[in-house]
Amino acid sequence: MSVIIDTDPGIDDAIAILYALGNPDLNVVALTTVAGNIGLSVTTQNAGRICALAQVDVPVHAGAAAPLGKEARPETGIHGKEGLGGVAFPDPIYPVASDDAVAAMIQILTEHPPHSVDLFCLGPLTNLAMLLEQAPDTAHRIRRVIAMGGAVDEPGNVGPKSEFNIVHDPHAAAAVFAAGLSLTLIPLDATRQLRANMDYIDALRDADCAASIASADLIAAYFAATNGAESRPLHDPCVPLFAKHSNMFRIEPRDLDVDIATGALVAGPHRIDVAMGLDADRLRAALLSGLSY
């Protein structure tokens, strides 16, 4: 399975990327970056640092520096100024491949057979919306989009019904929802069920691999502003975990749209597959196994 990971690393992005890079069934052909959790220069640098830690040569393409039609609003309070919670990562080994993520997507999708490349969206959907605007036929060569974002029945995390990835660029999310792509959305309704405790961190450290130790440190940083029993939700790892273990998620079709003013998901005309639940115990075990390389 060939995969483009569109990302704004980000603590939980980093864990998701490390899991995907170590999975032999996921052929990650590129990382495309977007401003979201932190500014574009930092997310792009972090993507290269994650590849360096995993010791892989995956091209990194810088993408959108700001959302469509509004200003960026980073989340440094959660992820830290450098985006990775203060966890030490090596410097990138390779230079950034390009500063045009959309052009890179177009090239990859054109060079691969139709419907043979998945797109994992771990951040705001700006790059995908720009791809749809610039090359809609090429965008429809994507096999499926798996995106973390939104809140359906759960409360939001940046507003009463708003989740960060969607509210950061609601115009982009609305365009993606309307595009008719094969889209699976993994909202807070599912991701809030996947958390880690200190025993899990110890198990990651006991695996004694670069990816598992780094992930343990990242999750430890995710305990800030909690009661200490469990980490913040492991939102973004749900995306590659769904790609590998869709049977561990409860998928429901929902008719949705995006309220541009608030970034909230509302009832609308677009039928989307939505993960409304997951098997947390089995997914934690799968994540631990996938990070032990």
Side-chain angles (χ1 to χ4, degrees):
M1 180 190 307
S2 293
V3 175
I4 300 169
I5 300 179
D6 192 54
T7 180
D8 60 337
I11 289 173
D12 53 332
D13 301 70
I15 299 167
I17 294 165
L18 288 171
Y19 173 83
L21 292 176
N23 196 303
D25 295 329
L26 300 177
N27 175 31
V28 181
V29 296
L31 300 181
T32 55
T33 60
V34 62
N37 286 322
I38 209 80
L40 182 67
S41 62
V42 179
T43 63
T44 304
Q45 173 84 352
N46 285 347
R49 296 169 72 200
I50 294 163
C51 290
L53 186 134
Q55 297 185 333
V56 298
D57 180 11
V58 173
V60 175
H61 302 272
L68 306 177
K70 57 181 292 190
E71 293 183 0
R73 192 179 77 175
E75 272 293 349
T76 55
I78 293 174
H79 299 272
K81 290 183 178 179
E82 85 299 331
L84 296 176
V87 179
F89 273 71
D91 290 334
I93 299 171
Y94 303 99
V96 176
S98 80
D99 62 357
D100 193 339
V102 173
M105 288 179 172
I106 291 170
Q107 181 176 351
I108 292 165
L109 292 166
T110 302
E111 290 176 348
H112 284 71
H115 311 301
S116 65
V117 178
D118 285 359
L119 180 62
F120 294 176
C121 293
L122 311 183
L125 296 172
T126 315
N127 287 335
L128 178 53
M130 293 171 64
L131 173 65
L132 284 162
E133 180 180 2
Q134 294 180 28
D137 291 343
T138 304
H140 280 85
R141 293 172 70 94
I142 297 170
R143 187 173 81 103
R144 62 177 175 175
V145 177
I146 308 172
M148 187 275 134
V152 181
D153 297 333
E154 277 278 305
N157 59 6
V158 292
K161 292 294 292 181
S162 303
E163 177 276 332
F164 176 82
N165 283 346
I166 302 296
V167 80
H168 186 87
D169 196 341
H171 295 87
V176 170
F177 280 28
L181 299 171
S182 175
L183 170 63
T184 298
L185 187 69
I186 307 181
L188 299 180
D189 305 71
T191 65
R192 280 183 171 149
Q193 299 175 27
L194 187 65
R195 301 172 188 259
N197 58 23
M198 294 306 298
D199 288 341
Y200 191 77
I201 290 176
D202 290 341
L204 283 166
R205 291 198 170 115
D206 288 344
D208 199 25
C209 306
S212 67
I213 292 170
S215 295
D217 292 342
L218 289 163
I219 294 173
Y222 237 16
F223 270 76
T226 70
N227 63 11
E230 288 186 312
S231 70
R232 293 177 183 273
L234 304 180
H235 301 293
D236 291 330
C238 289
V239 171
L241 284 167
F242 177 80
K244 285 293 300 170
H245 304 286
S246 60
N247 61 315
M248 299 182 191
F249 290 78
R250 186 179 84 252
I251 302 297
E252 299 178 10
R254 295 290 184 106
D255 296 321
L256 298 173
D257 207 344
V258 179
D259 183 333
I260 297 297
T262 66
L265 301 186
V266 294
H270 312 303
R271 176 59 59 97
I272 295 169
D273 286 338
V274 181
M276 295 299 294
L278 51 76
D279 187 331
D281 288 340
R282 292 171 68 199
L283 286 169
R284 274 190 291 267
L287 182 61
L288 173 61
S289 175
L291 290 167
S292 301
Y293 64 91

